[in-house]
Amino acid sequence: QVQLVESGGGLVQAGGSLRLSCAAFGRTFNAMGWFRQAPGKEREFVAAIRWIGGSTNYADSVKGRFTISRDNAKNTLYLQMNRLNPEDTAVYYCAATRATMPTPNLYEYEYWGQGTQVTVSS
């Protein structure tokens, strides 16, 4: 049974940092990504990484502030978020895909975590 378990969300002041983790159980994947959904908005792509080789892809809104990484031995995905601002407030989801590249297309992701809330206060 495939399971993705996120952790690391919380409340932080603007300018602060958080690190999200996503442990994957049941199998390994070609690529994994982070998405987020703010209240009243559609789920949007944040970042993705290819498991082998580590090539990455970022949304323009987070480039230079967020870093996606993975630990192959632990089968765990991370998202280091720096210089957070209130517009980053959302539920963050990790997701896994059999696509061979770190795709930003959420419809290519087959497995999803339960989500973790990130709230940035001004």
Side-chain angles (χ1 to χ4, degrees):
Q1 181 180 358
V2 176
Q3 193 175 13
L4 304 180
V5 180
E6 298 124 333
S7 60
L11 174 63
V12 65
Q13 288 189 330
S17 299
L18 281 174
R19 188 174 85 151
L20 305 182
S21 300
C22 174
F25 302 94
R27 60 166 290 178
T28 57
F29 302 94
N30 290 333
M32 293 185 70
W34 290 98
F35 291 77
R36 66 187 182 186
Q37 188 165 17
K41 294 188 176 181
E42 294 186 351
R43 192 169 298 188
E44 65 175 6
F45 171 73
V46 175
I49 187 167
R50 187 179 182 188
W51 214 250
I52 303 299
S55 59
T56 57
N57 190 4
Y58 292 93
D60 288 343
S61 59
V62 306
K63 278 181 183 175
R65 300 188 300 124
F66 292 9
T67 302
I68 190 170
S69 62
R70 84 279 190 236
D71 184 324
N72 289 10
K74 296 181 179 179
N75 213 26
T76 298
L77 179 73
Y78 302 100
L79 184 69
Q80 177 67 43
M81 305 185 293
N82 298 329
R83 291 186 283 134
L84 285 159
N85 59 62
E87 290 70 38
D88 296 315
T89 295
V91 177
Y92 283 71
Y93 299 89
C94 74
T97 177
R98 283 184 276 189
T100 56
M101 298 303 291
T103 175
N105 184 352
L106 66 90
Y107 297 105
E108 294 192 58
Y109 288 81
E110 301 168 75
Y111 302 98
W112 292 83
Q114 80 285 357
T116 185
Q117 177 71 46
V118 171
T119 303
V120 185
S121 63
S122 57

